[in-house]
Amino acid sequence: MVFVKKLVSLLSMSLVGFLFACHSDYIVPEATKGSLDVVKAFEKNQATVPLKGEWQYYPELLVFPKDVSLIDSLGPTQYFTVPGTWTGSFLERGFLAGDGFGSFRLLVKHNLKNQSLSLRVPEMETAYLLFVEGKLVSKNGIVSPIEINSRPQYRPFVVDFIPENDESEFILLISNYHHKKGGPGQVISLGRTQAIHAKYEKEILKDMLLVGSIFFMGIYHLFLYLNRKKDPYTYWFALTCILISLRVFITGNKYLIALIPSIPWELHLKLSYLSFFLIPPVFCRYIFLTFTAYFPKTLYKVFFNIGLAVCMLILLTQSSFYTYLMIPYQIFTLTGATIGVVVVLRAIKAKQTGSRLFMLSFVLFLVTMINDFLVTNLVIYNPLLSHYGIFMMFIFQSISIARNFSRGFVEAETFAKQLSIRNKDLEEVRSQLTHLNESLELKANEKTIELQAKLDQINKDMKLAKSIVTGLTIVPDLSPFLEIDTIYQPIADVGGDIFFVKKIQDGYVRIFLGDATGHGLQAALYTMMIQSEFERLNMVATKPNDLLYYLNQHFYDKNSDLQIYFPAVTIDFDFSQSVLRFAAAGMQNQLLHKANGELVLLENTGPIIGILEQYRFGFQEEKVAAGDRIFLFTDGVFEELNENDGVAALGQLTDIIVSTRSLDFEDVTIHIRAKLIEVLQKSTWKDDATLIVLEVGSYLK
């Protein structure tokens, strides 16, 4: 523990030197036995001197200046190290551990009689009176020996005074009944008036620059989200920025109190705590959306919900209770930060874009956050640095997000150029065909009509080739019967995989998936023929195996010379009987994953279409219920996993599918796609790949 304190202190002080570029060979004096000599400090042009060290202490007494000599004569002298608190053990005093009152006295020798001096007085826990040379110069709240008469208040001050002697007496009276910490938890600073005011104004300027920078960073990314809602992580990043800027505004120099002096102390403290307690769950959501494939969803939900639950406790309880949550929540936050580091390391191992930059900024933020935790708990006495760590991290994150958007624009420009080139190629092909047609017209007038018809047919086929990709894969809204999501990965502009989703009648839905031979225009022509026959036979075939029978007979009888063979699968959902009927021609086994976790194989029921004449396909019937999921896929999905062993590849795909049972439906295809990319580690596939995921809806509940 001592080693950790020293390490964090060393790192944070190094960061202080880097941020503030300050260095001094002079050691600032500390008070001993109630006395502090700062003469040399001011002689060496020390701008300000913290009044820390041993103050004379009067526990459970409110000692006013006129009573000091009498009280000192009645008993032994006690001393108290400032900054510090009188908070006792929670095990002994429970939620009263910080309650109490007391007085503190310090004699400061400065040799600056009749010269203008100032004090930088922070808030005390939670009410105080400050006397200098017997005169009241500053106060917060109402100090009282009993709780009912006390009033808490937080408001830092800069106090100007002119000492009447070369040595000034400081008397501080404090009472606390509303916070877990009681006493002088922060240090009063003494200095020449110009230096104190200049330092205070510099702090205000620094804080406002920090607040403004982080706040407008959040607003910028909020507008990015509003213009592109497909990237939800930008919204949570913006929300984190806004929370951080609000925390800087509320805490530190208490700008909120300066803006609204009448704000109740309890409300101000709740806002101060919430501005910190909301940051871990919100930022956790940002990390989850950025690194979804590497962040276990269950772990994310547990952390996110615990964070929100603690925030609810702050809203529903009083300060005498929720202030005790700070240290446990700081430990909880560090635990979440550790989880975040592990998640980002996994992303770095998988070579996810931007993960290394994220890790660099995140580690920098962690060092400053640990420093602040130790400072607020009076373990070390460094400046608070987390605001700067957050600022640096968010700058890096903004750069990363900007790079992602820039990369998207570059890809869009590249696609536009490729489309332009392909359009030119098509124009050249069309020009060549037209020229050939004209040449053939000159050589053989009798073939003009026939050739023109063929040319028109080619043009129609070209248009059909374009429309197949966009038209055939449109999925209608089948709520509340079915939820449908797909992964469609053609290796060319027009692929051979084809699927149809048809609502036969209310409560009866048919899904067809086929894998035509070839790619490009050839595949488009084949899929057009399959679509044409499907539309003709769909209403005639009452069962899925009948549809396969009619398709098989048609392609065997009428298209045998073209040798069009293709595997296919058909599923009929009869929601009036809560059943599905499955038939497959030459397809690998498909999967029915029930809501209770049971895995049912939907097995192939016949050879591929177009091979055997008059083949009667069988069908499989299964009961279904709400939440059941059916996975239909072509061989291009799993054969990439293991090119040498199709059975092993299908097993790998099955394992990936089974692992999605606990995911929400909208996350299933995202998870499967991420897992496939992670396993394959390649950007191009050898065959078209289609995966259809169906979930039985609430209609059957």
Side-chain angles (χ1 to χ4, degrees), residues 235 260 403 538 543 546 560:
Y235 167 78
I260 311 175
R403 286 173 58 186
N538 185 44
K543 294 181 180 179
D546 292 339
S560 57

Side-chain angles (χ1 to χ4, degrees), residues 326-443:
M326 178 58 78
I327 293 179
Y329 199 77
Q330 288 174 344
I331 296 173
F332 171 76
T333 301
L334 289 175
T335 303
T338 304
I339 295 172
V341 168
V342 174
V343 169
V344 179
L345 285 175
R346 294 180 63 190
I348 291 174
K349 185 177 180 181
K351 299 181 179 180
Q352 178 167 327
T353 303
S355 56
R356 293 182 181 274
L357 184 62
F358 187 98
M359 177 60 78
L360 174 64
S361 62
F362 197 50
V363 169
L364 178 64
F365 164 64
L366 282 180
V367 172
T368 59
M369 182 177 68
I370 295 172
N371 171 81
D372 282 15
F373 287 171
L374 296 178
V375 170
T376 55
N377 290 290
L378 303 180
V379 178
I380 60 176
Y381 302 102
N382 288 341
L384 296 175
L385 302 175
S386 63
H387 298 153
Y388 301 101
I390 290 170
F391 179 69
M392 295 297 293
M393 182 181 69
F394 282 7
I395 285 180
F396 284 134
Q397 292 308 301
S398 296
I399 293 172
S400 178
I401 292 174
R403 286 173 58 186
N404 290 338
F405 274 85
S406 176
R407 189 179 297 111
F409 292 140
V410 171
E411 290 177 354
E413 291 176 356
T414 301
F415 290 151
K417 291 179 180 178
Q418 292 176 351
L419 181 60
S420 177
I421 292 172
R422 290 180 181 179
N423 285 336
K424 289 180 180 179
D425 291 341
L426 288 174
E427 289 297 329
E428 290 178 2
V429 170
R430 182 173 296 177
S431 176
Q432 292 173 2
L433 290 173
T434 304
H435 178 72
L436 177 61
N437 183 60
E438 291 175 353
S439 298
L440 290 174
E441 285 179 352
L442 295 175
K443 294 179 181 179

Side-chain angles (χ1 to χ4, degrees), residues 209-350:
L209 286 174
L210 198 61
V211 169
S213 300
I214 298 177
F215 181 76
F216 284 107
M217 200 182 299
I219 296 299
Y220 169 74
H221 287 92
L222 185 60
F223 276 104
L224 284 182
Y225 167 74
L226 293 176
N227 285 278
R228 183 177 171 81
K229 294 185 178 180
K230 290 184 178 180
D231 297 324
Y233 62 87
T234 56
Y235 167 78
W236 292 94
F237 179 77
L239 190 57
T240 307
C241 289
I242 293 172
L243 284 173
I244 292 295
S245 63
L246 288 177
R247 176 156 182 80
V248 178
F249 188 76
I250 293 171
T251 58
N253 287 307
K254 313 295 183 185
Y255 302 110
L256 181 62
I257 295 178
L259 184 65
I260 311 175
S262 61
I263 186 172
W265 179 86
E266 183 74 35
L267 176 58
H268 173 262
L269 191 64
K270 282 184 184 289
L271 292 175
S272 176
Y273 269 62
L274 284 172
S275 66
F276 167 68
F277 279 52
L278 279 170
I279 291 172
V282 171
F283 194 67
C284 175
R285 176 69 176 171
Y286 167 65
I287 295 178
F288 174 74
L289 293 174
T290 306
F291 304 102
T292 302
Y294 314 102
F295 201 146
K297 189 170 185 179
T298 302
L299 184 61
Y300 151 72
K301 285 185 175 181
V302 169
F303 187 88
F304 184 81
N305 291 328
I306 289 176
L308 293 184
V310 177
C311 293
M312 288 299 298
L313 280 178
I314 294 175
L315 289 173
L316 300 175
T317 59
Q318 295 183 344
S319 60
S320 56
F321 171 80
Y322 64 74
T323 53
Y324 286 87
L325 298 176
M326 178 58 78
I327 293 179
Y329 199 77
Q330 288 174 344
I331 296 173
F332 171 76
T333 301
L334 289 175
T335 303
T338 304
I339 295 172
V341 168
V342 174
V343 169
V344 179
L345 285 175
R346 294 180 63 190
I348 291 174
K349 185 177 180 181

Side-chain angles (χ1 to χ4, degrees), residues 56 58 63-75 105 169 171:
Q56 191 174 348
Y58 305 90
V63 180
F64 290 85
K66 60 184 178 59
D67 302 324
V68 170
S69 58
L70 175 62
I71 299 299
D72 284 347
S73 66
L74 296 179
R105 178 173 177 264
E169 178 189 56
I171 296 179

Side-chain angles (χ1 to χ4, degrees), residues 529-586:
M529 296 174 66
I530 296 171
Q531 181 198 22
S532 175
E533 288 307 309
F534 174 84
E535 295 293 344
R536 185 176 67 85
L537 300 172
N538 185 44
M539 299 306 294
V540 178
T542 58
K543 294 181 180 179
N545 56 326
D546 292 339
L547 176 63
L548 296 181
Y549 170 78
Y550 295 142
L551 284 173
N552 176 72
Q553 200 58 36
H554 170 82
F555 282 97
Y556 184 87
D557 291 342
K558 297 184 178 181
N559 299 292
S560 57
D561 55 331
L562 296 177
Q563 295 182 342
I564 300 178
Y565 312 121
F566 62 92
V569 60
T570 302
I571 286 187
D572 287 2
F573 285 92
D574 187 349
F575 289 99
S576 64
Q577 300 181 33
S578 302
V579 298
L580 67 80
R581 299 182 181 92
F582 171 87

Side-chain angles (χ1 to χ4, degrees), residues 147-164:
E147 179 181 356
I148 192 172
N149 293 332
S150 68
R151 295 291 183 275
Q153 188 180 19
Y154 281 163
R155 188 170 185 180
F157 286 104
V158 172
V159 179
D160 302 330
F161 72 100
I162 298 177
E164 299 177 357

